Amino acid sequence: MLYVAVAVRAFRRYATYTAATLAGIFTNSVFGVIISYTYIAVWTHNPSAGGYDVSDAVTYAWLGQAMIMTVAVWGGGATDDLAARIRTGDVALDLYRPVGLLGWWLATDLGRAAYHLLTRGLAPTLVGAVLFDLRYPDGPVTWLLFAVSTVLAVVVSFGIRMLVTASAFWLLDDTGVKQLQIVVAMFFSGLVVPLVLFPGWTRDLAMALPWAAFLQVPADIWLGRRAGDEAWWGLIFQAAWAAALLGVCQVVLQRARRKVVVQGG
Amino acid sequence: MALIEVEDLSRTFVVRRRTGRVRRTATEVRAVDHLSFEVERGEMVGYIGPNGAGKSTTVKMLTGILVPTSGRLSVAGVDPSRNRVDLTRRIGVVFGQRTTLWWDLPLRDSFELLRRIYRIDGTRFRQNLAEFCELLDLGDLLDTPVRQLSLGQRMRGDIAAALLHDPEILYLDEPTIGLDVVSKSRLRAFLREVNAARDVTLLLTTHDLQDIEQLCSRVMVIDHGSLVYDGSLAGLHTQGGSTRTLVVDLVDPLPDEGRIRVEGASVHKVEGPRQWLSFPTDASAAPLVAAVAASYDVADLSILEPAIEDVIAELYSRR
Amino acid sequence: MAEVLTRLSWALRAYLLLAAAWVRVSMAYRASFWMMTVAQFVVTGLDFVAIVIMFANVDALGGFSLAEVAFLYGGAGLCLGIADLLLGNIERLGTRIRMGTFDAMMVRPVSLFAQVASDQFALRRLGRITQAAVVLLWSIVALDLDWTPSKVLMIGYLVACGTAIFTAFFTLGGAMQFLTIDAAEVANAFTYGGNTFAQYPMTIYPREIVKALTFLVPIGFVNWYPSLYVLGRPDPFGLPEWLQFASPVAAVVLGLVAAWAWRAGVRRYRSTGS
């Protein structure tokens, strides 16, 4: 119950930045338009590229814009707050808190993600729906699967961002690692080019990496490209990465605690 | 002509507040209200007032950052709002807790940049730097990036930076805030030296009244945008209508919690055999003491001077 | 006139002074500097890899070959990269205002714009510039064009005007922060968004968007129109050919608008203090 309260508080905190949200929606929409037209160009030349048709591709473009902030592809979110606390040394307090550090920050990040889904996820999708012919999930089951998949996407992203942030316990500054993570995430999440377009073995590789859980899996479920068993396998793929990453986070944070105890921050 | 001339200066702000989900109302706030004063070359003036009284708005107008709504303003013979850039060479500004130095640059590089930005003559720059380094004890800090300096060290760096180009006026916003006692007194000594040896006019805003007591011959008190006092520190007591207190320790408490009755003073507090009598600051204590001693059995006597904080609080509360 | 020139040259010198100081700071951590620069190179490189991946599925985008798209991509990237290097940190203005350090800039005898633009000048952005330049050079080699002196000149002209246009957009974004700090992200839609628009041939967009990008938000003048000339292509939308030479006009007009907005922003700041 505590974690729900933490999530609700995070949601409210983000809800105070109305102007920033509107500005972000505008920017997401502009990029949505550009990417849609590049995809239209691709699928005009090759109508079945990557197994998608043109409406799949355009829908994918807008889902990508919706997911940027929700999944925090560009980093940021709760883990940035933690990074600040590591810099100031306040994190020592967190490490001694009775509730799990990981659970606390995950709850905060899910609260943030909920806010971003309802604003910067929903609004650009509506803009896209007005401007283009989009495809929608074909039934309540698909909607439900998509919702679960989105939550798992946030958890996987949280796990990666958490590891990046935790690097600050050892490196003085996590900016470099963070930048690198953003780039890899941008590329391998399929935000610029859908992973289905990757040629040959690079496609199989990209599909197996955790970043595929950010956008490609939820989008495929939404589009019905992963239906039935395929959808379930998608969720299992995401859940496996989520579990693995959170497990590693737990170990890393334990090490960090020992380090803070020994060195006093 | 005085160095700083302020005549009928006003500055209003429009403050928009949310009154509904979308609706906003605009209210006009007068931050500085028909302010007039003059500061002569070489003066050290303390500018005090509660938060939001208009201190920093005044300083921002004096430095040309803000344009006045109305009134006339002349600093070192120029109008700050029109000739902001020209004025910058003739004034130095220290913004208290916010450093004007380059956060990531070593102090030495910051100073060197300032030399080139202000186009300070090479010899003059070296002289000034050497002198400030000695007086402010900056020598060992020159190669440290500003972000690694302590608050006190940074303040010293900031003050040196503001003086390198030999300004005629130095504005200081809370120069001693957050400093320890030793740093404070060292800083004050330096400012007195700068004022005496270089004839730099000082205007400082502060909450620390010791700054005023130790530095300023003149105090200006602002509240709600206008001056409520302008004069010497001593005069502030008279103006503030403050009272001195005679503390009388009687041999025995008076029966039935009785109070001492004496001409020219009144008891404002009784605690057993001890009674506090207040009397005007400009009255002499001698006849009062004599009168009390004549009528009562006195064990001990002492006089309390009014605390400047109380005087100023009294000034504010009168408005 | 002479006074304006003196002021301009002084602003430029001050800008160089301040930028040089930041370069010295970054060079103090040489290893870190090179890592960041190379990282930028790779990062923006992935951006181009994305386009290459698209071309693994098609042989043309909007009727343009990979080499031609690379020419557009390199041109736009070069212009944005240089503008970003020169004054990308203007987007920190809002933070400076909020922290009160902008006031400190106002009491120095140097152009505010020069101070804000040079703030934390980051030479590592050469990484992006180099990446764009490499793509541009590759495209030029791959294209095998009929080179004439005027086409060579056109490339220099493209970079100059395109940089000026992006510089103006960065300035407009900075000026906007005098009004509202929270909505600062809108500027990204014009700078980085504009760059993304310009990376692709305009033929993939509908006619209305192309017109808007020509006459309203002059992103088309960054590289599309000059590139048509270099690539020797007639305007696919049948727009007049003189547009291919109108980039300086667009740059000057937008520059004037940006300068006006900046001055208005400073004026507003000085009369509201916020």
Side-chain angles (χ1 to χ4, degrees), chain A residues 170-187:
Chain A
W170 288 273
L171 308 169
L172 282 174
D173 188 21
D174 67 336
T175 351
V177 188
K178 217 176 118 185
Q179 291 291 330
L180 191 70
Q181 196 296 119
I182 292 173
V183 173
V184 175
M186 284 268 288
F187 191 70

Side-chain angles (χ1 to χ4, degrees), chain B residues 26-313:
Chain B
T27 37
E28 205 167 73
V29 177
R30 214 167 255 277
V32 168
D33 192 4
H34 300 287
L35 193 66
S36 298
F37 64 85
E38 288 187 354
V39 175
E40 297 293 338
R41 189 175 295 274
E43 276 196 279
M44 289 174 97
V45 181
Y47 193 41
I48 58 181
N51 286 331
K55 281 177 305 196
S56 59
T57 306
T58 316
V59 173
K60 280 184 181 181
M61 285 192 281
L62 288 172
T63 50
I65 295 174
L66 267 180
V67 180
T69 310
S70 68
R72 205 184 63 83
L73 192 59
S74 152
V75 176
V78 303
D79 176 353
S81 64
R82 283 169 196 275
N83 302 306
R84 176 177 63 82
V85 180
D86 294 336
L87 186 67
T88 56
R89 292 178 194 284
R90 306 180 59 179
I91 61 171
V93 187
V94 178
F95 284 106
Q97 287 180 304
R98 292 170 275 140
T99 183
T100 58
L101 299 167
W102 288 267
W103 198 244
D104 299 282
L105 294 188
L107 212 42
R108 189 192 300 280
D109 290 22
S110 270
F111 291 158
E112 182 59 28
L113 258 183
L114 288 169
R115 175 180 79 78
R116 303 180 69 167
I117 283 177
Y118 283 93
R119 296 192 246 202
I120 307 166
D121 167 73
T123 333
R124 185 68 194 145
F125 174 77
R126 278 189 295 278
Q127 274 171 5
N128 278 347
L129 189 58
E131 189 181 331
F132 298 151
C133 279
E134 195 193 317
L135 288 173
L136 288 168
D137 205 9
L138 286 173
D140 298 335
L141 305 175
L142 282 179
D143 294 310
T144 317
V146 172
R147 68 184 134 80
Q148 289 172 17
L149 297 178
S150 73
L151 188 62
Q153 293 169 334
R154 210 175 70 206
M155 181 56 72
R156 271 139 60 197
D158 258 309
I159 291 181
L163 287 167
L164 281 172
H165 58 287
D166 288 316
E168 294 162 54
I169 306 169
L170 181 63
Y171 298 100
L172 297 146
D173 183 20
E174 301 281 356
T176 59
I177 197 164
L179 302 192
D180 61 71
V181 183
V182 180
S183 311
K184 276 184 186 180
S185 73
R186 190 155 56 179
L187 203 60
R188 289 179 191 135
F190 175 75
L191 292 175
R192 272 195 298 272
E193 167 74 18
V194 163
N195 172 257
R198 293 167 173 256
D199 204 24
V200 176
T201 307
L202 254 68
L203 184 79
L204 61 112
T205 71
T206 184
H207 277 105
D208 187 338
L209 295 160
Q210 282 198 332
D211 286 347
I212 308 269
E213 279 171 339
Q214 296 183 17
L215 288 174
C216 305
S217 50
R218 176 177 166 197
V219 190
M220 295 195 296
V221 183
I222 186 174
D223 193 28
H224 291 97
S226 45
L227 284 186
V228 290
Y229 178 77
D230 182 358
S232 67
L233 194 59
L236 188 57
H237 292 302
T238 333
Q239 172 88 17
S242 63
T243 52
R244 293 201 285 171
T245 307
L246 178 68
V247 186
V248 182
D249 285 336
L250 298 170
V251 177
D252 296 304
L254 293 181
D256 305 331
E257 297 196 351
R259 296 182 166 214
I260 295 172
R261 284 159 193 276
V262 69
E263 189 77 15
S266 59
V267 176
H268 66 265
K269 193 173 162 193
V270 180
E271 213 170 75
R274 178 172 287 189
Q275 302 211 358
W276 283 261
L277 285 76
S278 32
F279 63 101
T281 356
D282 48 357
S284 165
L288 186 63
V289 171
V292 172
S295 323
Y296 300 90
D297 280 340
V298 176
D300 196 10
L301 288 166
S302 62
I303 290 175
L304 290 180
E305 294 299 333
I308 186 165
E309 286 86 350
D310 298 338
V311 178
I312 291 166

Side-chain angles (χ1 to χ4, degrees), chain A residues 17 19-20 23-24 26-27 30-31 33-34 37-39 41-42 45-46 49-50 74 120 176 183-184 187 192-193 196-199, chain C residues 43 46-47 49-50 53-54 56-63 180 182-183 185-186 188-190 192-193 196-197 200 204-206 209:
Chain A
Y17 301 109
F26 174 74
T27 309
V30 169
F31 276 94
V33 168
I34 303 174
Y37 282 116
T38 59
Y39 290 177
V42 170
H45 283 272
N46 181 354
W74 283 336
R120 298 190 60 175
V183 173
V184 175
F187 191 70
V192 195
V193 186
V196 293
L197 285 193
F198 280 40
Chain C
V43 170
L46 280 179
D47 212 27
V49 172
I53 289 177
M54 286 186 193
N57 294 272
V58 294
D59 46 19
L61 267 188
T180 161
D182 291 337
E185 208 193 321
V186 168
N188 291 348
F190 292 91
Y192 299 101
T196 313
F197 261 117
Y200 298 98
I204 71 169
Y205 309 120
I209 290 191

